[in-house]
Amino acid sequence: FKKVHSSIREDIKNAQEYLDGNQSGSNRTREVLRMLGAEDRVPKWWDIQPRPTALSASNWMQDFINRVEGINEIAKTPPKEIGRKKPIWLGGLYSPEAFVAASRQEIARSKNCAVDSLSLVVTIDDSGDSLGDDFIYHGFTLFGAECDQSKLSLSDLEFQKLKFAHFQWKSAKERKEKNEEKSVSFPVYLESSRERFLFQISLPYVGNHDHYMFSERGTCVTVWSPPV
């Protein structure tokens, strides 16, 4: 992020100097002005996270600002409290799946158990308050289903914005303490093109139908959406 931020500042500074007539302007500066002005997109060397979703220059800049603000917030948080007391935007991280994997390793260390012995338990709700041993995320979007109080149901909705997702890593013994419910597993992608798979989650579902119906509906979650 620092490298991209420095590149943006330098390019914008040079572009302003060129427009003010204080310098002749390099090929790079003219290319920046052409792309921002005529094509309404950012130079490819600015993009830290190339994605299939095309963004206008203004939307790209807002997305970058949101990312930097999120990273700055994380940087000010003590390491053991990141994602624990205050929700973080998982889709704004460079590698969301790596952060989730690291959270599993952290819980394994704290419980003094093997990483492979822990499975993910997900709770979806409207509260960003901690459940005690969870990692809290926001910015998720559900496709192909509807979610109410962490329970999925088939729906004609194209998508549903989920307020908060709580990730808990539980041992087999801890999972047995919960009531057994029929559940369905589905993929989590970076964004709506579904080209970058991140990981898989499971949620209980309601309705008198088999779990494969959700797969037929293309049920999935994304962690990043274009700024509005």
Side-chain angles (χ1 to χ4, degrees), residues 14 19 59 61 64 89 125 177 204:
N14 290 336
L19 292 174
N59 279 350
M61 191 60 71
F64 183 72
W89 178 31
D125 62 20
E177 293 174 355

Side-chain angles (χ1 to χ4, degrees), residues 97-117:
E97 65 273 43
F99 185 91
V100 172
S103 72
R104 187 186 190 188
Q105 294 171 347
E106 173 60 27
I107 296 300
R109 281 194 292 268
S110 67
K111 293 184 176 183
N112 194 28
C113 64
V115 172
D116 291 345
S117 70

Side-chain angles (χ1 to χ4, degrees), residues 41-42 47 49-56 59-60 63 67 190-195 222 224-227:
R41 62 189 179 94
V42 299
D47 206 344
Q49 187 70 53
R51 60 183 66 84
T53 303
L55 291 178
S56 66
N59 279 350
W60 186 95
D63 180 67
R67 288 170 180 267
L190 177 64
E191 42 81 42
S192 60
S193 75
R194 309 186 188 190
E195 292 195 4
T222 62
W224 178 90
S225 300

Side-chain angles (χ1 to χ4, degrees), residues 2 14 23 30 34 44 57 70 72 92 97 101 106-107 117-118 129 131 136 147-148 175 191 207 210 219 227-228:
K2 286 185 177 180
N14 290 336
Q23 62 174 246
R30 287 190 287 271
R34 182 185 67 80
K44 61 182 180 181
N72 285 341
E97 65 273 43
E106 173 60 27
I107 296 300
S117 70
L118 299 177
D129 297 335
L131 301 179
I136 317 166
C147 184
D148 182 35
R175 294 195 303 277
E191 42 81 42
D210 292 325
T219 299
V228 294

Side-chain angles (χ1 to χ4, degrees), residues 49 90-98 100-101 140 167 186-191 194-201 221-224:
Q49 187 70 53
L90 189 64
L93 303 180
Y94 184 77
S95 183
E97 65 273 43
V100 172
F140 285 21
F167 282 21
F186 51 93
V188 177
Y189 297 101
L190 177 64
E191 42 81 42
R194 309 186 188 190
E195 292 195 4
R196 180 174 168 185
F197 172 80
L198 301 180
F199 47 85
Q200 185 168 276
I201 64 174
V221 162
T222 62
V223 300
W224 178 90

Side-chain angles (χ1 to χ4, degrees), residues 9-19 23 25-26 29:
R9 290 185 62 184
E10 186 67 22
D11 285 339
I12 295 298
K13 177 185 175 182
N14 290 336
Q16 187 64 56
E17 289 290 317
Y18 173 69
L19 292 174
Q23 62 174 246
S26 64
T29 296

Side-chain angles (χ1 to χ4, degrees), residues 13-221:
K13 177 185 175 182
N14 290 336
Q16 187 64 56
E17 289 290 317
Y18 173 69
L19 292 174
D20 290 341
N22 295 326
Q23 62 174 246
S24 58
S26 64
N27 289 337
R28 174 169 170 143
T29 296
R30 287 190 287 271
E31 179 70 3
V32 168
L33 288 171
R34 182 185 67 80
M35 296 183 74
L36 293 177
E39 300 185 11
D40 193 25
R41 62 189 179 94
V42 299
K44 61 182 180 181
W45 56 85
W46 284 10
D47 206 344
I48 57 168
Q49 187 70 53
R51 60 183 66 84
T53 303
L55 291 178
S56 66
S58 58
N59 279 350
W60 186 95
M61 191 60 71
Q62 185 59 59
D63 180 67
F64 183 72
I65 291 171
N66 294 343
R67 288 170 180 267
V68 171
E69 289 177 346
I71 293 297
N72 285 341
E73 192 65 33
I74 290 174
K76 293 186 292 185
T77 305
K80 291 187 178 297
E81 295 181 11
I82 295 175
R84 309 303 296 272
K85 295 184 177 181
K86 187 174 181 180
I88 64 173
W89 178 31
L90 189 64
L93 303 180
Y94 184 77
S95 183
E97 65 273 43
F99 185 91
V100 172
S103 72
R104 187 186 190 188
Q105 294 171 347
E106 173 60 27
I107 296 300
R109 281 194 292 268
S110 67
K111 293 184 176 183
N112 194 28
C113 64
V115 172
D116 291 345
S117 70
L118 299 177
S119 295
L120 183 61
V121 176
V122 178
T123 301
I124 305 294
D125 62 20
D126 294 338
S127 171
D129 297 335
S130 174
L131 301 179
D133 60 348
D134 56 327
F135 291 83
I136 317 166
Y137 307 112
H138 67 85
F140 285 21
T141 303
L142 173 67
F143 293 85
E146 189 173 359
C147 184
D148 182 35
Q149 297 300 314
S150 288
K151 290 183 172 59
L152 289 182
S153 61
L154 296 177
S155 169
D156 291 329
L157 287 176
E158 182 181 355
F159 65 87
Q160 177 188 9
K161 295 288 186 180
L162 305 178
K163 285 195 174 180
F164 299 101
H166 304 257
F167 282 21
Q168 296 170 287
W169 294 102
K170 300 286 189 179
S171 66
K173 180 181 179 180
E174 291 171 318
R175 294 195 303 277
K176 286 181 181 179
E177 293 174 355
K178 298 188 67 176
N179 294 329
E180 291 295 327
E181 299 177 285
K182 56 184 181 180
S183 63
V184 58
S185 297
F186 51 93
V188 177
Y189 297 101
L190 177 64
E191 42 81 42
S192 60
S193 75
R194 309 186 188 190
E195 292 195 4
R196 180 174 168 185
F197 172 80
L198 301 180
F199 47 85
Q200 185 168 276
I201 64 174
S202 297
L203 284 174
Y205 69 90
V206 295
N208 297 320
H209 50 75
D210 292 325
H211 63 85
Y212 67 79
M213 292 294 293
F214 290 96
S215 178
E216 291 184 356
R217 292 286 188 96
T219 299
C220 69
V221 162

